[in-house]
Amino acid sequence: MKINGKTTTCGLIGNPVEHTLSPVIHNNLAKMLGDNLVYVPFLVENEALEDAVKGGHALHIRGMNVTVPHKSAVIPHLCAIDSLAEKIGAVNTLVYQKDGYKGYNTDMSGLLRAMKTEGIRIKDENVLLLGAGGAARAVAYLCAAEGAKKIYICNRTLQKAEEIAAEIGEQVEGASLVALKYEEMEELTETSFLAIQCTSVGLHPNVSDVVLADGPVYDKIHTGVDLIYRPYETQFMKHVKAHGGKTMNGLKMLLYQGIIAYELWNDCTVSETQADSILQMMKEEMGIYE
Ligand code: ATR
């Protein structure tokens, strides 16, 4: 593309940033939609976060994505925050406003949109959440807000699951959340679950690791979503599939968090066909040909 005096800049702040797929998403969307926009990664150390946000605003950078380790730390440096991001306590997208940046969490709206395109719904489902870290907390909130019937939060450290269950139980009226350990799962009496894997167990290069060992509980999982996308098929997904369930990895979540950010920055709508083309480009970048 031609960079000229009217080129808009967007970018990503995080540490590290060199393995990000976000430039593939945004620069190809700009090309596809004919927007004069470039997207670049910016390495930002913890102590430079405030300067980076202020500097970005001074430079009229229209939008920024925020990744590890700045998703919560960035909040005090914003002029406004969207209510979903505020409740989750994490921001991954900044949108330029006159007085600073407004923060959003498109990770969760992205996961929801990705699941919808795959025909996976949360409403009235019994949900098994694996993990109780930052990602699991956000997904637990999403499931509660979307009307899951019951949410079981399973974690190695029970106390962390209990804290999330209590906190979200207070935040979302009518939500039903229960904390348990992996060993207690076999005792659940429900027969059908949507399971969402929110831990880092199984992430490249430890591809044979799995947080929930193979066993009869997998027979009850009709759909298994893994937030991991490297490897493209995790051990958790392999177990779900082997027991007859449907699977989805985290790549579409990554795609749609980017698409929703792009839509917020540029006040536009990306179609599903356009989204599919970008997904193919992300897969090519990852060396996945299927
Ligand atoms: P994130 O922000 O990506 O969610 P995190 O907050 O560090 O990361 O959370 C990591 C999650 O993976 C936690 O649920 C953690 O379990 P504990 O709370 O018991 O530590 C889980 N996890 C990480 N390694 C694990 C392992 N080897 N076995 C079981 N759970 C593990």
Side-chain angles (χ1 to χ4, degrees), residues 68 130-137 154-161 164 182 197-202 209-212 227:
V68 175
L130 311 185
R137 199 200 166 283
C154 316
N155 200 42
R156 177 179 61 178
T157 315
L158 184 63
Q159 195 196 338
K160 281 164 77 179
I164 294 178
Y182 292 105
Q197 202 298 107
C198 308
T199 78
S200 48
V201 182
D209 289 357
V210 63
V211 76
L212 178 61
L227 303 193

Side-chain angles (χ1 to χ4, degrees), residues 247-290:
T247 60
M248 176 185 132
N249 70 16
L251 197 63
K252 267 200 170 178
M253 171 184 172
L254 179 70
L255 167 72
Y256 278 105
Q257 66 72 34
I259 284 178
I260 297 169
Y262 193 95
E263 290 174 339
L264 286 167
W265 296 332
N266 298 297
D267 196 17
C268 64
T269 306
V270 176
S271 72
E272 226 179 286
T273 313
Q274 288 166 330
D276 281 342
S277 305
I278 302 290
L279 186 66
Q280 289 315 315
M281 294 174 195
M282 292 165 80
K283 284 189 192 170
E284 272 171 37
E285 188 71 20
M286 290 173 70
I288 294 159
Y289 301 96
E290 38 162 43

Side-chain angles (χ1 to χ4, degrees), residues 47-186:
E47 57 279 13
L49 180 59
E50 183 173 5
D51 285 350
V53 174
K54 280 192 182 156
H57 191 258
L59 294 171
H60 288 259
I61 290 178
R62 184 181 294 175
M64 293 199 269
N65 284 134
V66 183
T67 189
V68 175
H70 304 315
K71 287 187 183 188
S72 297
V74 78
I75 294 175
H77 309 304
L78 305 175
C79 70
I81 185 163
D82 172 69
S83 70
L84 175 70
E86 188 173 26
K87 285 181 185 121
I88 292 168
V91 158
N92 79 314
T93 298
L94 309 186
V95 180
Y96 185 92
Q97 321 261 290
K98 198 166 111 316
D99 299 326
Y101 285 105
K102 181 170 180 181
Y104 293 82
N105 188 306
T106 72
D107 284 332
M108 285 308 106
S109 45
L111 174 62
L112 191 63
R113 191 150 146 194
M115 286 171 70
K116 275 187 183 153
T117 66
E118 292 287 312
I120 305 169
R121 52 183 225 148
I122 293 172
K123 192 165 169 47
D124 298 327
E125 286 287 339
N126 292 311
V127 179
L128 272 185
L129 275 189
L130 311 185
R137 199 200 166 283
V139 175
Y141 180 84
L142 180 75
C143 291
E146 287 299 308
K149 192 171 170 189
K150 196 150 189 175
I151 303 163
Y152 290 98
I153 306 172
C154 316
N155 200 42
R156 177 179 61 178
T157 315
L158 184 63
Q159 195 196 338
K160 281 164 77 179
E162 285 172 340
E163 282 165 12
I164 294 178
E167 216 179 306
I168 293 173
E170 267 181 30
Q171 272 181 330
V172 184
E173 213 186 303
S176 172
L177 301 105
V178 177
L180 75 166
K181 299 193 84 170
Y182 292 105
E183 308 86 86
E184 295 171 314
M185 265 195 193
E186 299 294 352

